[in-house]
Amino acid sequence: MSDKNNIHLAVDAVVFGYQPQKGISVLLIERKYPPFKGNWAIPGGFVLEHESLEEAVTRELAEETGVKITYLEQLYTFGKPDRDPRKRIVAVAYFALVRPEGFSLSADTDASDAKWFAIDELPPLAFDHDQILKVALTRLRGKILYEPIGFELLDEKFPFSSLHQLYETVLGGTIDRRNFKKKFLKLGLVEELNEQRKQAGSGRPARLYRFNEERYFGLKQTGNLFELWLPSGVK
Amino acid sequence: MSDKNNIHLAVDAVVFGYQPQKGISVLLIERKYPPFKGNWAIPGGFVLEHESLEEAVTRELAEETGVKITYLEQLYTFGKPDRDPRKRIVAVAYFALVRPEGFSLSADTDASDAKWFAIDELPPLAFDHDQILKVALTRLRGKILYEPIGFELLDEKFPFSSLHQLYETVLGGTIDRRNFKKKFLKLGLVEELNEQRKQAGSGRPARLYRFNEERYFGLKQTGNLFELWLPSGVK
DNA sequence: CCAAAAGTGTTGGTAGTACACCCATGA
DNA sequence: TCATGGGTGTACTACCAACACTTTTGG
């Protein structure tokens, strides 16, 4: 069947970053050519014949934005026949996170029209990219509850308040500071360091913490991660 | 770029069914032509230019197996360049469930070489289909914990013991019968009927229950479904 | 009357939530 | 010394886990 192959395959990446002041931001690029010329879009491009999907995303992100990704996972594949007005393009969307230090966009790439947008101040997006973004945001919120992706959005060493703020931002609510801290410490997911944050305005200096990866993988294997349902009821 | 388009797009569906005696089964079809001639494979096929991905899966499942799907969701997209020895094929895999009554395979389709296999008695699979199946099984186990997909695997009316058995099978452990029942009743996800199962051997006859969809969507919206983390801590 | 499966209630432990005061620094 | 943000402990509650006996049917 189908000798004539008119379905094209692309990858797109929704890249999230976090800054205490601006909250969650997404990385977008401005389209230089029609359709949707002048609109903003999620970075991405076509998959080459010899490369894997992950390679394609990584390559496109490097070419178009130059950011350093700290976390990447597949999100969803969008395949409605009319999602691109020109031809049939099926897009495998990825979900990516960057640390604050990775925020700088490389000026050396030609596409210096990449820009960060706070998720509550988004411009109109090209194609079905608003929908893709919505799915990505849902994933972000869901995932932060049972996997420590929050750490991928913070610097390696961070004060507890940053983690706390991040959770409140992503989940859109307030969480008791003390209970929040107890939870993470009890799970052992964070390690207390003997360092303090160097001056961040007024107030008592904050102790720094670090994500405990070993502990994380341990919990993950035993399945006791963030105890969902039936934490010990299943024997 | 890429005027010459050599990447082909396929959809595959991992269909799970449940029978108290055999446990979880998967629907496979026997390959009639090389490569992997004689091996078993997950049903699927190429996407046509005018149809959506979901339409493609549905069509292929109907053509190849004739089963009636009760639940369908996208699973993952597999795109390693060498996953098919002939040419580059990227496969969007779907995750599907059928009710016991849908087990019968339509004999009228040409591919009457579709067959159910218990997941602990699988034949060697073609391509990377063992990997796809593994991902699907992980999804099944994960999902049954926080969404009531269990109900999609049972008849509309079922005795509580069936639901209980299903959970024990999927999760691979024993769960206290009384606590399990309490959990579901408290959440209000099951409705007690005034019917009993007509004779199933010896023992006291079991009352029948039914899944309460309204209640489910209610819980889902308020986010209190199977209380994950922070059931009420986020204000 | 025995075996098999279904039905039901109580108790103790523990984890989660709510909540308020003190401490260290910069201005 | 005041404002700002960081640090800590306790009491109450509610959910979960553990557990055993009774009931109804078929053979």
Side-chain angles (χ1 to χ4, degrees):
Chain A
M1 62 187 72
S2 89
D3 266 315
K4 197 165 121 218
N5 174 22
N6 286 320
I7 304 186
H8 296 259
L9 190 71
V11 286
D12 287 324
V14 181
V15 185
F16 288 119
Y18 173 73
Q19 287 168 308
Q21 322 82 29
K22 302 185 57 181
I24 297 288
S25 305
V26 201
L27 185 57
L28 300 175
I29 55 169
E30 190 170 14
R31 287 186 57 82
K32 293 181 194 162
Y33 311 102
F36 296 99
K37 181 178 172 180
N39 272 21
W40 293 83
I42 295 165
F46 291 102
V47 179
L48 304 180
E49 194 177 347
H50 63 280
E51 68 186 353
S52 72
L53 302 176
E54 284 75 16
E55 283 163 357
V57 195
T58 312
R59 176 179 53 73
E60 291 285 355
L61 275 178
E63 285 175 15
E64 295 184 334
T65 71
V67 293
K68 293 210 177 0
I69 296 300
T70 52
Y71 181 84
L72 182 73
E73 73 169 33
Q74 196 182 294
L75 177 63
Y76 196 80
T77 300
F78 295 83
K80 279 224 223 59
D82 57 353
R83 54 180 297 279
D84 189 301
R86 295 163 298 180
K87 51 187 177 177
R88 177 81 193 267
I89 299 181
V90 171
V92 184
Y94 278 77
F95 170 94
L97 303 176
V98 293
R99 292 241 167 85
E101 71 236 31
F103 259 58
S104 57
L105 305 170
S106 68
D108 53 312
T109 64
D110 48 7
S112 54
D113 24 35
K115 228 168 107 179
W116 288 102
F117 288 87
I119 49 154
D120 44 8
E121 296 171 6
L122 290 177
L125 299 183
F127 307 105
D128 57 352
H129 287 189
D130 50 343
Q131 197 199 334
I132 299 181
L133 204 90
K134 209 171 138 193
V135 174
L137 268 172
T138 305
R139 178 82 131 241
L140 177 65
R141 284 192 249 273
K143 217 167 166 73
I144 207 171
L145 289 177
Y146 58 90
E147 288 196 34
I149 55 168
F151 300 104
E152 314 289 355
L153 287 166
L154 299 176
D155 287 312
E156 202 199 323
K157 299 173 181 182
F158 54 87
F160 228 106
S161 56
S162 295
L163 189 63
H164 180 228
Q165 259 184 70
L166 170 62
Y167 269 74
E168 290 194 333
T169 305
V170 172
L171 297 179
T174 53
I175 305 173
D176 186 273
R177 198 161 47 97
R178 294 158 288 187
N179 294 337
F180 179 81
K181 192 168 181 179
K182 258 181 284 181
K183 178 88 179 183
F184 274 87
L185 289 177
K186 179 146 46 80
L187 284 170
L189 284 177
V190 288
E191 234 173 336
E192 198 172 87
L193 300 176
N194 280 327
E195 292 179 62
Q196 302 198 320
R197 173 161 54 175
K198 353 214 168 275
Q199 289 336 100
S202 72
R204 180 173 174 171
R207 184 177 294 224
L208 293 177
Y209 293 79
R210 185 202 290 150
F211 173 48
N212 186 337
E213 270 193 70
E214 284 182 49
R215 173 67 177 161
Y216 167 61
F217 288 115
L219 283 175
K220 195 169 188 176
Q221 280 188 351
T222 60
N224 285 350
L225 191 64
F226 278 39
E227 329 198 309
L228 301 175
W229 192 45
L230 305 171
S232 62
V234 182
K235 288 282 173 43
Chain B
M1 61 185 69
S2 90
D3 266 316
K4 199 168 119 216
N5 174 22
N6 287 319
I7 303 186
H8 296 258
L9 190 71
V11 287
D12 287 322
V14 181
V15 185
F16 288 119
Y18 173 72
Q19 288 167 307
Q21 323 82 31
K22 301 186 60 180
I24 297 287
S25 305
V26 200
L27 184 57
L28 301 175
I29 55 169
E30 190 171 13
R31 287 185 58 81
K32 293 180 190 161
Y33 312 103
F36 296 100
K37 179 179 174 181
N39 272 21
W40 293 83
I42 295 166
F46 290 102
V47 179
L48 303 181
E49 193 176 347
H50 63 279
E51 69 185 353
S52 72
L53 302 177
E54 284 74 17
E55 283 163 357
V57 195
T58 312
R59 177 180 52 73
E60 291 286 352
L61 275 178
E63 285 175 16
E64 294 184 335
T65 71
V67 292
K68 293 210 177 4
I69 296 300
T70 52
Y71 180 85
L72 182 72
E73 74 169 30
Q74 196 180 293
L75 177 63
Y76 195 81
T77 300
F78 295 82
K80 281 224 222 62
D82 57 352
R83 53 180 297 280
D84 190 302
R86 296 162 298 180
K87 50 187 178 180
R88 177 82 192 265
I89 299 182
V90 171
V92 184
Y94 278 77
F95 170 95
L97 302 177
V98 293
R99 292 243 167 85
E101 70 235 33
F103 259 58
S104 58
L105 306 171
S106 68
D108 53 313
T109 64
D110 49 7
S112 54
D113 24 36
K115 228 169 106 179
W116 289 100
F117 288 87
I119 49 154
D120 46 7
E121 296 172 6
L122 290 176
L125 299 183
F127 309 106
D128 57 352
H129 287 190
D130 49 344
Q131 198 199 331
I132 299 181
L133 205 92
K134 211 172 136 192
V135 174
L137 268 172
T138 305
R139 178 82 132 241
L140 177 65
R141 292 200 185 102
K143 217 166 167 72
I144 206 171
L145 288 177
Y146 58 92
E147 290 196 33
I149 53 169
F151 301 104
E152 314 289 356
L153 288 166
L154 299 177
D155 287 313
E156 202 199 323
K157 300 174 181 182
F158 53 88
F160 228 106
S161 57
S162 294
L163 189 62
H164 181 228
Q165 259 184 70
L166 169 61
Y167 270 74
E168 290 194 334
T169 305
V170 172
L171 298 178
T174 53
I175 305 172
D176 185 273
R177 199 162 46 97
R178 294 157 290 184
N179 293 336
F180 179 83
K181 192 170 180 178
K182 259 180 283 181
K183 178 88 179 182
F184 274 87
L185 288 177
K186 178 148 47 76
L187 284 170
L189 285 176
V190 289
E191 233 174 336
E192 199 171 87
L193 300 176
N194 280 328
E195 294 179 59
Q196 300 200 320
R197 174 161 54 174
K198 354 214 167 276
Q199 290 335 98
S202 75
R204 178 172 174 171
R207 182 178 298 225
L208 292 178
Y209 293 80
R210 184 202 290 149
F211 173 48
N212 185 337
E213 269 193 72
E214 283 182 49
R215 173 68 177 160
Y216 168 61
F217 287 116
L219 283 176
K220 195 168 187 175
Q221 279 188 352
T222 62
N224 284 349
L225 191 63
F226 279 38
E227 327 197 312
L228 300 174
W229 191 46
L230 304 170
S232 62
V234 182
K235 287 282 171 45

